[in-house]
Amino acid sequence: MSRRGPAALGDGWHVGVIAAVAGETGVVLDVLGIARGRRFHTGRMAVPAGVTYLVVAPSGTASFEVLRDRYDPAVVVLVGGGGDVVVTHAAAGPVRDAASAFFAAAGEPAPLPGFRGAPSFHVRRGGAGAPPFEAGDTARGRPRAWAVVRGATLDAAQALRYLIPYLRSRL
């Protein structure tokens, strides 16, 4: 059995995304511009560092296990859950470096426009935290990076959309 879905090219799946709130996967798909699939939804985003391959899973821990086993993304991001928009990540690694570059460029807190005319909002750094899922390694033997972008799902997904270009160059 292949550990990657059929659309993965080059260096594999880069970012796996799981909505923290059941039933809000569609919001994440809309913001990231990914077409709906059967259960897992795949797409790509052109960024200055190249193409980023994305896979969005339904909410839940079981989805993480299938996402990890089938697609093996280098980074897994849990998106949503309410409150202020805050990016939390491991103490070291590519997500920390990407978040640092993002906040250096955008300021802190970072002001972002709302998606499709929604009100603008601010993104704050949450610092280091415990991984929301079993961290483990990728099939390629590298530590799997992770992040949590907390906030209303629409705003959290929009923040992730702005963070991905900074993340891609570090994978």
Side-chain angles (χ1 to χ4, degrees):
M1 176 177 165
S2 172
R3 293 191 53 96
R4 283 189 258 159
L9 301 174
D11 53 353
W13 295 98
H14 302 117
V15 180
V17 183
I18 300 174
V21 179
E24 298 230 339
T25 301
V27 172
V28 175
L29 295 172
D30 290 344
V31 172
L32 296 179
I34 297 175
R36 283 162 171 73
R38 290 186 185 163
R39 180 167 175 200
F40 287 83
H41 318 277
T42 60
R44 56 187 165 188
M45 178 187 291
V47 298
V51 175
T52 301
Y53 290 94
L54 307 165
V55 56
V56 179
S59 60
T61 303
S63 292
F64 167 72
E65 293 167 359
V66 176
L67 175 72
R68 177 198 62 209
D69 294 344
R70 180 171 179 197
Y71 293 95
D72 192 35
V75 177
V76 176
V77 182
L78 184 65
V79 174
D84 294 335
V85 183
V86 177
V87 177
T88 302
H89 50 77
V95 177
R96 182 208 57 196
D97 297 343
S100 294
F102 167 76
F103 286 112
E108 196 167 344
L112 291 181
F115 181 67
R116 290 190 182 154
S120 61
F121 60 95
H122 287 89
V123 179
R124 291 174 172 68
R125 186 188 326 237
F133 307 106
E134 177 188 327
D137 291 339
T138 66
R140 296 167 187 234
R142 295 178 61 186
R144 188 175 324 280
W146 62 271
V148 175
V149 184
R150 190 184 74 218
T153 304
L154 184 68
D155 292 343
Q158 178 79 331
L160 176 60
R161 182 174 155 220
Y162 277 84
L163 181 63
I164 286 172
Y166 294 93
L167 183 59
R168 175 63 180 103
S169 64
R170 288 157 177 83
L171 298 178

